[in-house]
Amino acid sequence: MLPPLFTNNEFHNIGLDDQFAGFDQGRYNVTGNPVDMGKFKTPTLRNVALKNSFMHDGRFSTLEEVIEHYNSGVKHSSTLDPIMTKPGNVTDIDLTEQQKSDLIAFLKTLVDDDFIGNKDLGRP
Ligand code: HEM
């Protein structure tokens, strides 16, 4: 059985930018379909805690910044994924400090030590 990769392999606009001119337009660059503007493929979260730059353009350098994006940084645009808004078109989710640190603790559990320590998968 394949190990879980912690991604849905789909493309979403998670509200990183409120307009697309001058920014990477994401999936739209491939399909030319305006509904794909600002959508990026959901990356695997396996080993995400070992990284030091996040999102397609590396704009965040800590998991705290990523969580703060989801908490209070989501920007509206025409293709924003509906899951990013609450009733009233509100994007802030008002996480407590405890909830933020719980989320980060969870992400840290996704480190795959067998994979990281496997010499067969290391540099030659
Ligand atoms: C609070 C819940 C969530 C957490 C903790 C979370 C965590 C993360 C993290 C850590 C990354 C950075 C991965 C990397 O750069 O390697 C990421 C990126 C991403 N997540 Fe989430 N995520 C959440 C909710 C969602 C939801 C609901 C969606 C889909 C609507 C989503 C879709 C994406 C996409 C498409 C990216 C890549 C964005 C880009 O490359 O610019 N995430 N997420």
Side-chain angles (χ1 to χ4, degrees):
M1 195 178 83
L2 288 170
L5 291 171
F6 309 107
T7 171
N8 62 5
N9 272 316
E10 287 175 4
F11 298 84
H12 299 277
N13 172 358
I14 57 168
L16 291 167
D17 300 303
D18 56 5
Q19 43 93 26
F20 307 115
F23 291 85
D24 186 333
Q25 298 172 330
R27 184 72 175 149
Y28 173 79
N29 287 328
V30 178
T31 66
N33 187 341
V35 302
D36 288 332
M37 197 68 87
K39 295 186 180 177
F40 294 91
K41 192 169 187 177
T42 313
T44 178
L45 292 180
R46 183 164 72 171
N47 295 323
V48 73
L50 303 178
K51 299 178 65 176
N52 57 16
S53 74
F54 302 94
M55 306 310 182
H56 64 280
D57 53 3
R59 67 177 63 191
F60 302 131
S61 51
T62 63
L63 285 174
E64 284 78 5
E65 288 172 20
V66 175
I67 299 300
E68 205 46 55
H69 164 73
Y70 287 110
N71 185 49
S72 65
V74 172
K75 298 182 183 70
H76 285 283
S77 63
S78 55
T79 57
L80 179 65
D81 197 290
I83 205 173
M84 306 306 287
T85 58
K86 294 193 289 192
N89 232 7
V90 174
T91 53
D92 286 6
I93 54 174
D94 301 323
L95 295 174
T96 64
E97 291 308 310
Q98 183 67 53
Q99 287 169 328
K100 291 181 204 174
S101 56
D102 286 351
L103 266 174
I104 290 172
F106 166 70
L107 292 171
K108 288 181 176 169
T109 68
L110 306 181
V111 173
D112 181 346
D113 292 316
D114 288 343
F115 178 82
I116 295 302
N118 186 336
K119 290 195 173 53
D120 292 341
L121 302 175
R123 290 201 176 90

